[in-house]
Amino acid sequence: MTIAPIDRTDMADIDKQYLDEVFEFLYGGIPEGFRAEVVEGAVQMSPQRDTHSDIITDVLFQLGARFGPRSKLKMDVRLDLPGYRNGFCPDIFKLSDDAKKGEKGRWRYQDVEFVFEVISRETAANDYGKKKDAYAAGEVPVYLIADPYTAKWHLFTMPKDGEYQSKLSLDFGQPVDLTDTVLGMTLETDRFPRD
């Protein structure tokens, strides 16, 4: 038996091809009311709930008011990240003003300034673990999680060497101070519903 080594570039191409095939399949088969993404090669599906939608809408309106209607805010759009077969669909992500699509017409994680995720019970471990690690590895400057089950938000900033150096967690109702980040704003959480 001969084993041929595969270099990292070839492996990345294989991962992208895998993600393309999986997403092509998913685009035609995701049941209404669900969202899907690929985390370390595994398809993860979670139901969309009113609470989830209400929090996302609240944050989207606040970001839209701050950055304007032409800002590059994306919802549930595929975003490939470093690591093994990571094709996420963040609830919201904000791209830099000069962001341009990369190969195959997809947004590049290197241009992402902010990611926002609302926890679902079924996939919470990913948001707090594997996805957080991938965002840190991709040096996404600001990663914010809203958890309607605990009524807390969790802010991760200052990515370095694949980890976020700063973490802050507070209760819903406490504002998220992002004035010292690339966003330069404060997000209000007093209207976030609980689940």
Side-chain angles (χ1 to χ4, degrees), residues 106-182:
R106 289 194 200 92
W107 296 109
R108 300 170 351 111
Y109 70 85
Q110 295 92 335
D111 297 324
V112 175
E113 297 178 333
F114 170 77
V115 171
F116 178 67
E117 297 278 12
V118 179
I119 297 296
S120 294
R121 278 194 213 279
E122 298 81 4
T123 59
N126 288 334
D127 292 319
Y128 286 118
K130 295 173 184 175
K131 289 172 68 175
K132 177 177 66 79
D133 293 345
Y135 293 136
E139 296 188 354
V140 172
V142 181
Y143 176 42
L144 179 63
I145 295 174
D147 189 333
Y149 305 105
T150 63
K152 290 187 177 297
W153 54 260
H154 309 277
L155 176 64
F156 302 91
T157 58
M158 299 173 43
K160 182 179 176 190
D161 299 328
E163 292 183 14
Y164 282 105
Q165 304 299 303
S166 177
K167 177 189 174 194
L168 176 64
S169 299
L170 291 173
D171 294 329
F172 283 7
Q174 297 296 312
V176 184
D177 183 357
L178 301 169
T179 55
D180 289 336
T181 72
V182 66

